[in-house]
Amino acid sequence: MTHATQFASNMSIGQEFKNMQRQLSSSAAGAAECKSMVEESPVVVVARRGCCMSFVVRRLLQSVGANPDVCEVEERHVDELARHLGESGGGVLMQLPAVFVGGRWFGGIERVIATLIREELKPLLKQAGGLWL
């Protein structure tokens, strides 16, 4: 199977099994909902609503077979949500988009790219139960 065929095949499968995408509007309820998504799902991308970099992170994760859930946040709630999710990241105030793997903060787009290049991303996702291929 060529890379283009595999990519097309992954896209059709991906469209059949669309990832969960939640858009949060209220800060308190939204933070709790997003935190529960992080705790329950193997791979989650938390991003500002409409952020182009969240699309890039999702596509990178999908390129290795993961189908991340996405939690989009209104701009006015970003700081509060980052504080709530910082508990999952060991107290680190994180920037968005943030990737969580296995309920723990993994990093941002830089870490995703670095582990992808070093071929460490796929084993990490597999260990967390985040690969669907």
Side-chain angles (χ1 to χ4, degrees), residues 21-25 47-52 54 71-75 78 96:
Q21 185 165 342
R22 297 183 188 168
Q23 296 181 350
L24 307 176
S25 56
R48 288 174 173 81
R49 183 175 289 178
C51 173
C52 63
S54 69
C71 181
E72 289 190 335
V73 184
E74 291 286 337
E75 185 65 37
V78 167
L96 300 181

Side-chain angles (χ1 to χ4, degrees), residues 4 6 20 23 35 37 47 52 66 69 76-77 84 86 94 99 102-103 107 110 114 120 126 133:
Q6 183 180 7
M20 184 186 315
Q23 296 181 350
K35 190 167 183 175
M37 183 190 294
C52 63
D69 290 340
R76 65 182 181 265
H77 302 300
H84 279 90
M94 60 197 69
V99 178
E110 297 88 2
E120 297 171 354
K126 191 173 193 176
L133 290 178

Side-chain angles (χ1 to χ4, degrees), residues 74-95:
E74 291 286 337
E75 185 65 37
R76 65 182 181 265
H77 302 300
V78 167
D79 291 337
E80 182 176 344
L81 182 65
R83 279 192 299 278
H84 279 90
L85 292 176
E87 298 166 9
S88 301
V92 176
L93 187 59
M94 60 197 69
Q95 294 181 346

